[in-house]
Amino acid sequence: MRDTVLVYDDDCGFCTWWAEFFDERSDVPIVGFSDLESDLEDRLPEDYERCSHLLTPEARYSCGASIEETFARSSVGRPLRPLVDRLRRYDTYTTLREGAYRRIAHNRAVWGRVLSKTPPAREGESTEASIE
Protein backbone atom coordinates (compact mmCIF):
# COMPACT_ATOMS: atom_id res chain seq x y z
CA MET A 1 0.00 0.00 0.00
CA ARG A 2 1.25 3.48 -0.89
CA ASP A 3 1.51 5.90 1.98
CA THR A 4 0.39 9.17 0.42
CA VAL A 5 -0.90 9.80 -3.09
CA LEU A 6 -2.94 12.41 -4.98
CA VAL A 7 -5.62 10.80 -7.15
CA TYR A 8 -6.99 12.99 -9.94
CA ASP A 9 -8.92 13.03 -13.24
CA ASP A 10 -6.23 12.23 -15.78
CA ASP A 11 -8.68 12.79 -18.64
CA CYS A 12 -8.77 16.54 -17.89
CA GLY A 13 -6.06 18.90 -19.14
CA PHE A 14 -6.68 21.44 -16.37
CA CYS A 15 -6.57 18.71 -13.69
CA THR A 16 -3.38 17.31 -15.24
CA TRP A 17 -1.74 20.75 -15.14
CA TRP A 18 -2.42 21.01 -11.39
CA ALA A 19 -1.41 17.43 -10.65
CA GLU A 20 1.91 17.95 -12.42
CA PHE A 21 2.36 21.29 -10.64
CA PHE A 22 2.15 19.47 -7.30
CA ASP A 23 4.21 16.52 -8.54
CA GLU A 24 7.08 18.90 -9.37
CA ARG A 25 6.87 20.77 -6.06
CA SER A 26 6.26 18.04 -3.50
CA ASP A 27 7.04 14.44 -2.71
CA VAL A 28 3.37 13.49 -3.15
CA PRO A 29 3.05 11.05 -6.06
CA ILE A 30 0.14 11.48 -8.47
CA VAL A 31 -2.09 8.76 -9.89
CA GLY A 32 -4.81 9.28 -12.47
CA PHE A 33 -8.23 7.68 -12.34
CA SER A 34 -7.32 5.57 -15.38
CA ASP A 35 -4.30 4.07 -13.56
CA LEU A 36 -5.95 3.20 -10.26
CA GLU A 37 -4.97 -0.09 -8.73
CA SER A 38 -7.30 -1.94 -6.38
CA ASP A 39 -5.36 -0.94 -3.23
CA LEU A 40 -6.04 2.73 -4.00
CA GLU A 41 -9.55 2.29 -5.33
CA ASP A 42 -10.52 0.53 -2.10
CA ARG A 43 -9.50 3.67 -0.16
CA LEU A 44 -11.67 6.01 -2.27
CA PRO A 45 -15.36 6.85 -1.90
CA GLU A 46 -17.79 5.14 -4.27
CA ASP A 47 -18.27 8.34 -6.30
CA TYR A 48 -14.54 9.14 -6.37
CA GLU A 49 -14.58 10.45 -9.95
CA ARG A 50 -16.43 13.62 -8.92
CA CYS A 51 -13.23 15.24 -7.56
CA SER A 52 -9.57 14.75 -6.60
CA HIS A 53 -8.47 12.94 -3.44
CA LEU A 54 -5.34 12.97 -1.33
CA LEU A 55 -4.91 9.65 0.42
CA THR A 56 -2.62 9.51 3.44
CA PRO A 57 -2.10 6.81 6.08
CA GLU A 58 -4.17 8.91 8.51
CA ALA A 59 -6.91 10.39 6.33
CA ARG A 60 -8.61 10.89 3.00
CA TYR A 61 -8.92 14.49 1.83
CA SER A 62 -11.44 15.01 -0.97
CA CYS A 63 -12.28 17.82 -3.37
CA GLY A 64 -11.11 21.23 -2.10
CA ALA A 65 -9.50 19.67 0.96
CA SER A 66 -7.32 17.47 -1.29
CA ILE A 67 -5.95 20.47 -3.16
CA GLU A 68 -5.49 22.46 0.05
CA GLU A 69 -3.61 19.65 1.81
CA THR A 70 -1.45 18.86 -1.23
CA PHE A 71 -0.64 22.57 -1.52
CA ALA A 72 0.31 22.68 2.18
CA ARG A 73 2.70 19.76 1.59
CA SER A 74 4.33 21.42 -1.43
CA SER A 75 7.43 23.61 -1.42
CA VAL A 76 5.22 26.59 -2.28
CA GLY A 77 2.65 25.98 0.45
CA ARG A 78 4.76 24.59 3.29
CA PRO A 79 5.43 28.05 4.78
CA LEU A 80 1.66 28.62 4.89
CA ARG A 81 0.88 25.37 6.77
CA PRO A 82 0.23 27.14 10.13
CA LEU A 83 -2.23 29.50 8.45
CA VAL A 84 -4.02 26.62 6.68
CA ASP A 85 -4.29 24.70 9.94
CA ARG A 86 -5.82 27.74 11.67
CA LEU A 87 -8.27 28.44 8.85
CA ARG A 88 -9.54 24.84 8.89
CA ARG A 89 -11.02 25.49 12.35
CA TYR A 90 -13.68 27.74 10.82
CA ASP A 91 -16.74 26.34 9.09
CA THR A 92 -17.00 29.47 6.94
CA TYR A 93 -13.52 28.83 5.54
CA THR A 94 -14.21 25.18 4.69
CA THR A 95 -17.52 26.15 3.07
CA LEU A 96 -15.74 28.79 0.96
CA ARG A 97 -12.92 26.37 0.07
CA GLU A 98 -15.32 23.68 -1.13
CA GLY A 99 -17.50 26.22 -2.95
CA ALA A 100 -14.46 27.57 -4.78
CA TYR A 101 -13.37 24.03 -5.68
CA ARG A 102 -16.83 23.23 -7.09
CA ARG A 103 -17.01 26.50 -9.04
CA ILE A 104 -13.61 25.89 -10.61
CA ALA A 105 -14.30 22.19 -11.25
CA HIS A 106 -17.58 22.97 -13.02
CA ASN A 107 -15.73 25.45 -15.25
CA ARG A 108 -12.54 23.50 -15.87
CA ALA A 109 -13.03 23.62 -19.64
CA VAL A 110 -12.79 27.41 -19.42
CA TRP A 111 -9.83 27.30 -17.01
CA GLY A 112 -8.20 24.70 -19.27
CA ARG A 113 -7.84 27.35 -21.96
CA VAL A 114 -5.34 29.08 -19.67
CA LEU A 115 -3.77 26.19 -17.71
CA SER A 116 -3.71 22.81 -19.41
CA LYS A 117 -1.48 19.86 -20.26
CA THR A 118 -2.21 16.84 -22.38
CA PRO A 119 -3.95 14.43 -20.02
CA PRO A 120 -2.23 11.03 -19.67
CA ALA A 121 -5.52 9.28 -20.43
CA ARG A 122 -5.55 11.03 -23.84
CA GLU A 123 -1.88 10.70 -24.81
CA GLY A 124 -1.51 9.05 -28.16
CA GLU A 125 -5.05 9.90 -29.29
CA SER A 126 -5.28 11.15 -32.80
CA THR A 127 -6.48 14.72 -33.14
CA GLU A 128 -7.45 14.15 -36.79
CA ALA A 129 -11.05 13.48 -37.64
CA SER A 130 -11.65 10.00 -38.94
CA ILE A 131 -13.57 9.42 -42.16
CA GLU A 132 -16.03 6.55 -42.09
Side-chain angles (χ1 to χ4, degrees):
M1 177 171 89
R2 298 173 212 189
D3 286 340
T4 300
V5 63
L6 177 65
V7 180
Y8 75 103
D9 182 358
D10 61 341
D11 192 33
C12 164
F14 178 70
C15 306
T16 298
W17 189 93
W18 277 106
E20 291 184 8
F21 174 89
F22 289 130
D23 189 45
E24 294 168 3
R25 291 164 179 81
S26 73
D27 58 358
V28 175
I30 59 172
V31 174
F33 292 158
S34 68
D35 288 329
L36 280 178
E37 296 173 7
S38 61
D39 69 319
L40 290 178
E41 198 165 352
D42 292 344
R43 296 169 59 194
L44 293 169
E46 191 172 307
D47 61 346
Y48 71 85
E49 291 180 317
R50 68 182 191 88
C51 65
S52 62
H53 308 274
L54 179 68
L55 304 174
T56 73
E58 304 83 31
R60 178 181 68 219
Y61 301 87
S62 295
C63 305
S66 71
I67 300 304
E68 173 197 68
E69 182 63 23
T70 305
F71 175 76
R73 292 170 182 247
S74 73
S75 59
V76 177
R78 223 171 277 125
L80 300 174
R81 166 62 87 179
L83 175 61
V84 169
D85 290 341
R86 271 193 295 273
L87 288 172
R88 284 180 177 164
R89 297 178 194 161
Y90 301 99
D91 290 338
T92 302
Y93 168 74
T94 56
T95 300
L96 287 171
R97 178 193 66 210
E98 295 308 313
Y101 181 90
R102 281 283 132 228
R103 221 169 290 111
I104 291 168
H106 290 306
N107 292 293
R108 56 191 178 163
V110 174
W111 288 104
R113 293 182 197 148
V114 179
L115 303 172
S116 186
K117 288 204 172 183
T118 301
R122 293 187 188 181
E123 286 179 359
E125 282 186 6
S126 173
T127 57
E128 297 177 22
S130 61
I131 301 173
E132 295 184 28

